[in-house]
């Protein structure tokens, strides 16, 4: 099946600075890569996703980049705010079906 | 955006009792829903795929007689934890496939078995 690796497992950044979280995947046929934000005691929330026909997608302070050749994709958060503190998960499809394989998560802490 | 409602958000039960968790897609139809289990500070572990009108598909190692899944309509899937024991205590989350492969999650259910 699909293997997704995510780094780092924890990340602390000063408020206002940028945060970058990276994921690699194993299945070269994968074509959809979502990112989820999970706050304590809540379900994951889809914050941005990218398809393999583009290399970058932006939504205000959040962006995702994709390198299909290297099979990795990254989440970029600029001008970080305290409310960005959460656990972030990347994911990739499992052999083209509706199942998603999730990364191990990154606990992001924004330091005021 | 698509909304997935999950109830209850928290349940405490005695060992040996059964607990039912509901997952509803509020503004879209979902032929496929998924159930996950999440331990503290860990990633989501897929338990089963719930298909409307047919039997659920369970992941390896998940007891189908322990975790009963019913997907009776295009907007509702239920997970019943039968004869719950303390080791079943966990955070259970459902998700539903919306348009264009996007997966939307419920708010989760924290199950505590005494």
């Amino acid at each position: 099946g699909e293997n997704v690796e995510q780094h780092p497992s924890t990340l602390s950044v000063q408020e206002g600075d940028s945060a970058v979280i990276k994921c690699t995947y194993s299945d070269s046929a994968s074509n959809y890569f979502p990112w989820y934000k999970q706050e304590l005691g809540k379900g994951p929330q889809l914050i941005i996703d990218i398809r393999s026909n583009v290399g970058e997608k932006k939504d205000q302070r959040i962006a995702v980049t994709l390198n299909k050749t290297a099979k990795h994709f990254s989440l970029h958060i600029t001008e970080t705010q305290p409310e960005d503190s959460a656990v972030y998960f990347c994911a990739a499809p499992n052999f083209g079906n509706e199942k998603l394989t999730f990364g191990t998560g990154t606990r992001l802490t924004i330091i005021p | 955006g698509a909304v997935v409602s999950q109830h209850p958000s928290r349940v405490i039960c005695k060992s040996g009792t059964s607990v039912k968790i509901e997952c509803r897609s509020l503004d879209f139809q979902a032929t496929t829903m998924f159930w996950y289990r999440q331990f503290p500070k860990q990633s989501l572990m897929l338990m089963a795929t719930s298909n409307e009108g047919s039997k659920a598909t369970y992941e390896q190692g998940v007891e189908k007689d322990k975790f009963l899944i019913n997907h009776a309509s295009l907007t509702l899937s239920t997970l019943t934890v039968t004869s719950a024991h303390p080791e079943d205590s966990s955070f259970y989350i459902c998700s539903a496939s919306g348009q264009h492969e996007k997966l939307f999650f419920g708010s989760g259910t924290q199950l505590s078995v005494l």
Side-chain angles (χ1 to χ4, degrees):
Chain A
E2 174 75 277
N3 183 40
V4 177
E5 294 188 0
Q6 183 172 346
H7 299 280
S9 56
T10 60
L11 179 61
S12 295
V13 300
Q14 288 290 140
E15 181 178 353
D17 288 349
S18 296
V20 181
I21 303 170
K22 299 180 179 180
C23 284
T24 61
Y25 61 98
S26 60
D27 185 3
S28 56
S30 291
N31 59 5
Y32 173 67
F33 307 93
W35 283 92
Y36 289 88
K37 175 183 180 182
Q38 186 177 27
E39 297 177 344
L40 190 62
K42 298 183 179 180
Q45 176 190 7
L46 178 65
I47 56 172
I48 196 167
D49 54 16
I50 190 169
R51 297 192 182 275
S52 57
N53 57 342
V54 296
E56 183 176 2
K57 182 177 178 181
K58 269 188 172 182
D59 183 2
Q60 299 182 343
R61 297 186 297 109
I62 295 173
V64 55
T65 58
L66 171 65
N67 183 327
K68 282 206 70 179
T69 303
K71 289 190 282 188
H72 67 69
F73 56 111
S74 299
L75 176 71
H76 304 254
I77 306 174
T78 58
E79 300 172 31
T80 53
Q81 300 169 4
E83 52 265 36
D84 294 329
S85 294
V87 179
Y88 291 82
F89 291 98
C90 63
N94 196 1
F95 284 139
N97 61 29
E98 291 178 292
K99 293 183 187 180
L100 289 178
T101 298
F102 287 85
T104 48
T106 298
R107 182 172 299 277
L108 175 63
T109 302
I110 307 303
I111 304 167
Chain B
V3 179
V4 176
S5 174
Q6 185 174 342
H7 292 282
S9 58
R10 183 176 295 271
V11 58
I12 301 172
C13 68
K14 291 183 179 180
S15 187
T17 60
S18 295
V19 174
K20 180 185 282 189
I21 303 169
E22 290 191 350
C23 181
R24 294 179 185 273
S25 55
L26 295 186
D27 50 1
F28 66 102
Q29 293 183 331
T31 54
T32 305
M33 291 186 176
F34 302 91
W35 288 95
Y36 300 81
R37 186 172 180 176
Q38 187 178 35
F39 292 103
K41 298 186 178 182
Q42 292 191 23
S43 189
L44 295 88
M45 183 188 78
L46 180 64
M47 298 174 65
T49 302
S50 172
N51 303 295
E52 187 267 336
S54 64
K55 289 183 179 180
T57 305
Y58 291 82
E59 296 299 303
Q60 192 173 10
V62 178
E63 298 176 61
K64 61 180 181 181
D65 295 331
K66 174 85 175 162
F67 300 100
L68 299 180
I69 291 172
N70 184 276
H71 195 154
S73 77
L74 287 171
T75 59
L76 174 64
S77 176
T78 60
L79 168 69
T80 301
V81 183
T82 62
S83 186
H85 290 285
E87 57 265 30
D88 298 324
S89 298
S90 190
F91 192 57
Y92 293 87
I93 316 171
C94 69
S95 68
S97 285
Q99 273 192 333
H100 308 304
E101 299 176 272
K102 293 181 186 288
L103 200 62
F104 299 96
F105 285 85
S107 52
T109 298
Q110 183 64 53
L111 171 63
S112 299
V113 185
L114 304 178

